[in-house]
Amino acid sequence: MRQETLEQIIKVISLAAQRYSIGDGIDRSYQYGVSRVSQEYGIAYQTIGDACRRRLGLDHVGEFKTMLKTCFEGDPSQLRDVLMHKNSRFYHDKINDFFSKLKNGGATTEIKAEKPDTFVTYTVQLRKSDSDVLKALAQLLSGEPEEVLVDVAVEAIKDRMKKTVSQL
């Protein structure tokens, strides 16, 4: 799952929790969260709803709503586990941090609305043998090859920058 998709799902959970904590039912809370996130990102409501269902490997949105309600009532373990399972281990700290801030009863700390990052696309070519290793690693991490490549490359670039700057 892409980082942006994970962020969208987390925002849906957060916004829905806020609505649920003031007395809205689970359906209305979910719809509010999906609607707000779709507006913020400028994408279709159905796309966000799809992220909360299909991208999490669920058969129907009712499964997500059930986990959401259980989470808001004090047991976030099932929802957290689904997010952990469907995301690379590189995102596990972010997921755990989010759920640690989720209070019993559904209230959350306010998540500030932030503009989605601006991305720059690079095209890279890998040797077949390197590509095979990347695919195998992605499968082991339950992620996509592109996500793993980005995560590893960004870490390496930051390390190289630190080394280069320290040598100046």
Side-chain angles (χ1 to χ4, degrees):
M1 180 180 300
R2 292 183 3 233
Q3 181 177 353
E4 183 178 47
T5 304
L6 174 61
E7 289 172 1
Q8 292 166 349
I9 294 170
I10 285 174
K11 285 183 181 186
V12 167
I13 296 168
S14 178
L15 292 165
Q18 292 170 18
R19 298 304 292 204
Y20 191 80
S21 71
I22 61 170
D24 282 353
I26 195 64
D27 290 328
R28 188 177 195 130
S29 298
Y30 166 80
Q31 291 166 353
Y32 174 81
V34 171
S35 178
R36 286 277 311 274
V37 172
S38 70
Q39 290 171 2
E40 179 180 334
Y41 283 83
I43 55 181
Y45 179 97
Q46 291 80 4
T47 303
I48 301 299
D50 182 66
C52 295
R53 182 194 57 80
R54 188 180 60 82
R55 298 291 292 172
L56 295 178
L58 305 175
D59 292 327
H60 52 83
V61 73
E63 290 178 82
F64 183 77
K65 289 179 187 177
T66 299
M67 286 189 288
L68 206 56
K69 185 174 182 183
T70 302
C71 176
F72 298 162
E73 292 175 349
D75 181 12
S77 60
Q78 190 178 13
L79 186 55
R80 183 184 57 237
D81 291 348
V82 167
L83 286 171
M84 297 284 261
H85 178 70
K86 290 296 179 177
N87 282 282
S88 161
R89 67 177 177 82
F90 296 110
Y91 302 134
H92 288 187
D93 286 343
K94 180 178 187 130
I95 294 166
N96 282 324
D97 183 53
F98 171 74
F99 281 101
S100 73
K101 293 177 182 174
L102 201 61
K103 297 177 186 171
N104 286 339
T108 66
T109 56
E110 184 72 30
I111 292 182
K112 63 180 186 283
E114 48 187 59
K115 284 188 173 180
D117 288 335
T118 302
F119 293 93
V120 177
T121 301
Y122 290 91
T123 303
V124 297
Q125 291 183 332
L126 300 175
R127 286 187 293 270
K128 172 79 169 98
S129 59
D130 294 335
S131 175
D132 291 343
V133 171
L134 176 62
K135 287 178 184 176
L137 179 59
Q139 189 170 17
L140 289 171
L141 297 173
S142 299
E144 297 295 324
E146 295 83 357
E147 294 170 350
V148 173
L149 181 61
V150 167
D151 290 339
V152 171
V154 168
E155 287 289 322
I157 291 167
K158 288 177 181 178
D159 286 346
R160 178 68 61 92
M161 178 61 103
K162 287 176 187 175
K163 288 177 185 175
T164 302
V165 169
S166 70
Q167 291 175 353
L168 293 178

PDB file of all heavy atoms in Angstrom, residues 19-38:
ATOM      1  N   ARG A  19     -16.373  12.287  14.940  1.00  0.00           N
ATOM      2  CA  ARG A  19     -17.838  12.326  14.787  1.00  0.00           C
ATOM      3  C   ARG A  19     -18.520  11.313  15.704  1.00  0.00           C
ATOM      4  O   ARG A  19     -19.562  11.597  16.293  1.00  0.00           O
ATOM      5  CB  ARG A  19     -18.237  12.068  13.324  1.00  0.00           C
ATOM      6  CG  ARG A  19     -17.732  13.097  12.341  1.00  0.00           C
ATOM      7  CD  ARG A  19     -18.142  14.490  12.698  1.00  0.00           C
ATOM      8  NE  ARG A  19     -19.574  14.662  12.562  1.00  0.00           N
ATOM      9  CZ  ARG A  19     -20.178  15.816  12.370  1.00  0.00           C
ATOM     10  NH1 ARG A  19     -19.465  16.929  12.305  1.00  0.00           N
ATOM     11  NH2 ARG A  19     -21.475  15.872  12.260  1.00  0.00           N
ATOM     12  N   TYR A  20     -17.932  10.143  15.811  1.00  0.00           N
ATOM     13  CA  TYR A  20     -18.505   9.090  16.652  1.00  0.00           C
ATOM     14  C   TYR A  20     -18.512   9.531  18.120  1.00  0.00           C
ATOM     15  O   TYR A  20     -19.469   9.276  18.855  1.00  0.00           O
ATOM     16  CB  TYR A  20     -17.704   7.792  16.478  1.00  0.00           C
ATOM     17  CG  TYR A  20     -18.366   6.583  17.085  1.00  0.00           C
ATOM     18  CD1 TYR A  20     -19.398   5.922  16.414  1.00  0.00           C
ATOM     19  CD2 TYR A  20     -17.971   6.095  18.323  1.00  0.00           C
ATOM     20  CE1 TYR A  20     -20.009   4.809  16.961  1.00  0.00           C
ATOM     21  CE2 TYR A  20     -18.582   4.979  18.886  1.00  0.00           C
ATOM     22  CZ  TYR A  20     -19.596   4.338  18.202  1.00  0.00           C
ATOM     23  OH  TYR A  20     -20.208   3.238  18.752  1.00  0.00           O
ATOM     24  N   SER A  21     -17.461  10.227  18.525  1.00  0.00           N
ATOM     25  CA  SER A  21     -17.343  10.652  19.926  1.00  0.00           C
ATOM     26  C   SER A  21     -18.363  11.728  20.298  1.00  0.00           C
ATOM     27  O   SER A  21     -18.645  11.917  21.474  1.00  0.00           O
ATOM     28  CB  SER A  21     -15.930  11.148  20.224  1.00  0.00           C
ATOM     29  OG  SER A  21     -15.683  12.382  19.589  1.00  0.00           O
ATOM     30  N   ILE A  22     -18.931  12.413  19.302  1.00  0.00           N
ATOM     31  CA  ILE A  22     -19.957  13.417  19.611  1.00  0.00           C
ATOM     32  C   ILE A  22     -21.366  12.884  19.389  1.00  0.00           C
ATOM     33  O   ILE A  22     -22.331  13.633  19.407  1.00  0.00           O
ATOM     34  CB  ILE A  22     -19.741  14.736  18.829  1.00  0.00           C
ATOM     35  CG1 ILE A  22     -19.818  14.518  17.321  1.00  0.00           C
ATOM     36  CG2 ILE A  22     -18.440  15.393  19.233  1.00  0.00           C
ATOM     37  CD1 ILE A  22     -19.855  15.801  16.499  1.00  0.00           C
ATOM     38  N   GLY A  23     -21.456  11.561  19.134  1.00  0.00           N
ATOM     39  CA  GLY A  23     -22.774  10.944  19.093  1.00  0.00           C
ATOM     40  C   GLY A  23     -23.280  10.489  17.742  1.00  0.00           C
ATOM     41  O   GLY A  23     -24.353   9.898  17.668  1.00  0.00           O
ATOM     42  N   ASP A  24     -22.541  10.753  16.673  1.00  0.00           N
ATOM     43  CA  ASP A  24     -22.971  10.237  15.373  1.00  0.00           C
ATOM     44  C   ASP A  24     -22.814   8.719  15.364  1.00  0.00           C
ATOM     45  O   ASP A  24     -21.915   8.177  16.012  1.00  0.00           O
ATOM     46  CB  ASP A  24     -22.131  10.828  14.229  1.00  0.00           C
ATOM     47  CG  ASP A  24     -22.547  12.250  13.869  1.00  0.00           C
ATOM     48  OD1 ASP A  24     -23.571  12.736  14.398  1.00  0.00           O
ATOM     49  OD2 ASP A  24     -21.852  12.877  13.054  1.00  0.00           O
ATOM     50  N   GLY A  25     -23.669   8.041  14.619  1.00  0.00           N
ATOM     51  CA  GLY A  25     -23.555   6.593  14.474  1.00  0.00           C
ATOM     52  C   GLY A  25     -22.354   6.231  13.614  1.00  0.00           C
ATOM     53  O   GLY A  25     -21.724   7.099  12.991  1.00  0.00           O
ATOM     54  N   ILE A  26     -22.067   4.950  13.540  1.00  0.00           N
ATOM     55  CA  ILE A  26     -20.881   4.511  12.805  1.00  0.00           C
ATOM     56  C   ILE A  26     -21.013   4.796  11.305  1.00  0.00           C
ATOM     57  O   ILE A  26     -20.034   5.205  10.664  1.00  0.00           O
ATOM     58  CB  ILE A  26     -20.544   3.020  13.088  1.00  0.00           C
ATOM     59  CG1 ILE A  26     -19.124   2.697  12.619  1.00  0.00           C
ATOM     60  CG2 ILE A  26     -21.553   2.083  12.441  1.00  0.00           C
ATOM     61  CD1 ILE A  26     -18.042   3.437  13.356  1.00  0.00           C
ATOM     62  N   ASP A  27     -22.202   4.617  10.733  1.00  0.00           N
ATOM     63  CA  ASP A  27     -22.380   4.878   9.301  1.00  0.00           C
ATOM     64  C   ASP A  27     -22.128   6.341   8.968  1.00  0.00           C
ATOM     65  O   ASP A  27     -21.392   6.670   8.040  1.00  0.00           O
ATOM     66  CB  ASP A  27     -23.790   4.477   8.833  1.00  0.00           C
ATOM     67  CG  ASP A  27     -24.000   2.973   8.835  1.00  0.00           C
ATOM     68  OD1 ASP A  27     -23.025   2.233   8.598  1.00  0.00           O
ATOM     69  OD2 ASP A  27     -25.143   2.541   9.081  1.00  0.00           O
ATOM     70  N   ARG A  28     -22.757   7.205   9.740  1.00  0.00           N
ATOM     71  CA  ARG A  28     -22.604   8.643   9.503  1.00  0.00           C
ATOM     72  C   ARG A  28     -21.159   9.102   9.745  1.00  0.00           C
ATOM     73  O   ARG A  28     -20.614   9.918   9.002  1.00  0.00           O
ATOM     74  CB  ARG A  28     -23.566   9.423  10.397  1.00  0.00           C
ATOM     75  CG  ARG A  28     -23.624  10.875  10.096  1.00  0.00           C
ATOM     76  CD  ARG A  28     -24.653  11.561  10.993  1.00  0.00           C
ATOM     77  NE  ARG A  28     -24.939  12.847  10.442  1.00  0.00           N
ATOM     78  CZ  ARG A  28     -26.143  13.328  10.224  1.00  0.00           C
ATOM     79  NH1 ARG A  28     -27.198  12.613  10.520  1.00  0.00           N
ATOM     80  NH2 ARG A  28     -26.300  14.528   9.733  1.00  0.00           N
ATOM     81  N   SER A  29     -20.531   8.553  10.776  1.00  0.00           N
ATOM     82  CA  SER A  29     -19.140   8.899  11.090  1.00  0.00           C
ATOM     83  C   SER A  29     -18.210   8.475   9.955  1.00  0.00           C
ATOM     84  O   SER A  29     -17.330   9.245   9.537  1.00  0.00           O
ATOM     85  CB  SER A  29     -18.710   8.225  12.397  1.00  0.00           C
ATOM     86  OG  SER A  29     -19.499   8.667  13.465  1.00  0.00           O
ATOM     87  N   TYR A  30     -18.389   7.261   9.475  1.00  0.00           N
ATOM     88  CA  TYR A  30     -17.583   6.753   8.366  1.00  0.00           C
ATOM     89  C   TYR A  30     -17.774   7.626   7.119  1.00  0.00           C
ATOM     90  O   TYR A  30     -16.808   8.050   6.480  1.00  0.00           O
ATOM     91  CB  TYR A  30     -17.955   5.294   8.063  1.00  0.00           C
ATOM     92  CG  TYR A  30     -17.421   4.794   6.751  1.00  0.00           C
ATOM     93  CD1 TYR A  30     -16.093   4.386   6.623  1.00  0.00           C
ATOM     94  CD2 TYR A  30     -18.240   4.737   5.622  1.00  0.00           C
ATOM     95  CE1 TYR A  30     -15.595   3.939   5.408  1.00  0.00           C
ATOM     96  CE2 TYR A  30     -17.756   4.285   4.411  1.00  0.00           C
ATOM     97  CZ  TYR A  30     -16.436   3.892   4.309  1.00  0.00           C
ATOM     98  OH  TYR A  30     -15.948   3.451   3.088  1.00  0.00           O
ATOM     99  N   GLN A  31     -19.031   7.902   6.790  1.00  0.00           N
ATOM    100  CA  GLN A  31     -19.315   8.710   5.600  1.00  0.00           C
ATOM    101  C   GLN A  31     -18.710  10.102   5.711  1.00  0.00           C
ATOM    102  O   GLN A  31     -18.177  10.636   4.738  1.00  0.00           O
ATOM    103  CB  GLN A  31     -20.828   8.794   5.370  1.00  0.00           C
ATOM    104  CG  GLN A  31     -21.426   7.485   4.946  1.00  0.00           C
ATOM    105  CD  GLN A  31     -22.945   7.454   5.029  1.00  0.00           C
ATOM    106  OE1 GLN A  31     -23.580   8.386   5.528  1.00  0.00           O
ATOM    107  NE2 GLN A  31     -23.533   6.361   4.568  1.00  0.00           N
ATOM    108  N   TYR A  32     -18.762  10.680   6.876  1.00  0.00           N
ATOM    109  CA  TYR A  32     -18.166  11.995   7.100  1.00  0.00           C
ATOM    110  C   TYR A  32     -16.662  11.930   6.853  1.00  0.00           C
ATOM    111  O   TYR A  32     -16.096  12.779   6.163  1.00  0.00           O
ATOM    112  CB  TYR A  32     -18.459  12.471   8.531  1.00  0.00           C
ATOM    113  CG  TYR A  32     -17.764  13.761   8.887  1.00  0.00           C
ATOM    114  CD1 TYR A  32     -18.299  14.982   8.489  1.00  0.00           C
ATOM    115  CD2 TYR A  32     -16.575  13.759   9.614  1.00  0.00           C
ATOM    116  CE1 TYR A  32     -17.662  16.172   8.812  1.00  0.00           C
ATOM    117  CE2 TYR A  32     -15.932  14.938   9.937  1.00  0.00           C
ATOM    118  CZ  TYR A  32     -16.480  16.146   9.528  1.00  0.00           C
ATOM    119  OH  TYR A  32     -15.835  17.328   9.841  1.00  0.00           O
ATOM    120  N   GLY A  33     -16.003  10.933   7.442  1.00  0.00           N
ATOM    121  CA  GLY A  33     -14.557  10.792   7.274  1.00  0.00           C
ATOM    122  C   GLY A  33     -14.160  10.614   5.815  1.00  0.00           C
ATOM    123  O   GLY A  33     -13.250  11.287   5.324  1.00  0.00           O
ATOM    124  N   VAL A  34     -14.860   9.739   5.121  1.00  0.00           N
ATOM    125  CA  VAL A  34     -14.547   9.488   3.712  1.00  0.00           C
ATOM    126  C   VAL A  34     -14.789  10.746   2.878  1.00  0.00           C
ATOM    127  O   VAL A  34     -13.977  11.114   2.027  1.00  0.00           O
ATOM    128  CB  VAL A  34     -15.363   8.294   3.163  1.00  0.00           C
ATOM    129  CG1 VAL A  34     -15.204   8.155   1.657  1.00  0.00           C
ATOM    130  CG2 VAL A  34     -14.945   7.001   3.856  1.00  0.00           C
ATOM    131  N   SER A  35     -15.885  11.426   3.146  1.00  0.00           N
ATOM    132  CA  SER A  35     -16.215  12.643   2.394  1.00  0.00           C
ATOM    133  C   SER A  35     -15.163  13.731   2.588  1.00  0.00           C
ATOM    134  O   SER A  35     -14.689  14.345   1.618  1.00  0.00           O
ATOM    135  CB  SER A  35     -17.589  13.148   2.842  1.00  0.00           C
ATOM    136  OG  SER A  35     -17.919  14.335   2.168  1.00  0.00           O
ATOM    137  N   ARG A  36     -14.770  13.967   3.830  1.00  0.00           N
ATOM    138  CA  ARG A  36     -13.763  15.005   4.110  1.00  0.00           C
ATOM    139  C   ARG A  36     -12.412  14.676   3.481  1.00  0.00           C
ATOM    140  O   ARG A  36     -11.757  15.548   2.916  1.00  0.00           O
ATOM    141  CB  ARG A  36     -13.591  15.183   5.629  1.00  0.00           C
ATOM    142  CG  ARG A  36     -14.716  15.909   6.319  1.00  0.00           C
ATOM    143  CD  ARG A  36     -14.585  17.441   6.221  1.00  0.00           C
ATOM    144  NE  ARG A  36     -13.276  17.938   6.586  1.00  0.00           N
ATOM    145  CZ  ARG A  36     -12.861  18.228   7.812  1.00  0.00           C
ATOM    146  NH1 ARG A  36     -13.683  18.055   8.828  1.00  0.00           N
ATOM    147  NH2 ARG A  36     -11.651  18.678   8.030  1.00  0.00           N
ATOM    148  N   VAL A  37     -12.000  13.422   3.579  1.00  0.00           N
ATOM    149  CA  VAL A  37     -10.701  13.028   3.015  1.00  0.00           C
ATOM    150  C   VAL A  37     -10.744  13.116   1.488  1.00  0.00           C
ATOM    151  O   VAL A  37      -9.779  13.588   0.868  1.00  0.00           O
ATOM    152  CB  VAL A  37     -10.286  11.615   3.493  1.00  0.00           C
ATOM    153  CG1 VAL A  37      -9.043  11.125   2.765  1.00  0.00           C
ATOM    154  CG2 VAL A  37     -10.043  11.626   5.004  1.00  0.00           C
ATOM    155  N   SER A  38     -11.850  12.729   0.887  1.00  0.00           N
ATOM    156  CA  SER A  38     -11.943  12.816  -0.577  1.00  0.00           C
ATOM    157  C   SER A  38     -11.883  14.278  -1.026  1.00  0.00           C
ATOM    158  O   SER A  38     -11.247  14.602  -2.035  1.00  0.00           O
ATOM    159  CB  SER A  38     -13.211  12.141  -1.102  1.00  0.00           C
ATOM    160  OG  SER A  38     -14.369  12.857  -0.769  1.00  0.00           O
TER     161      SER A  38
END
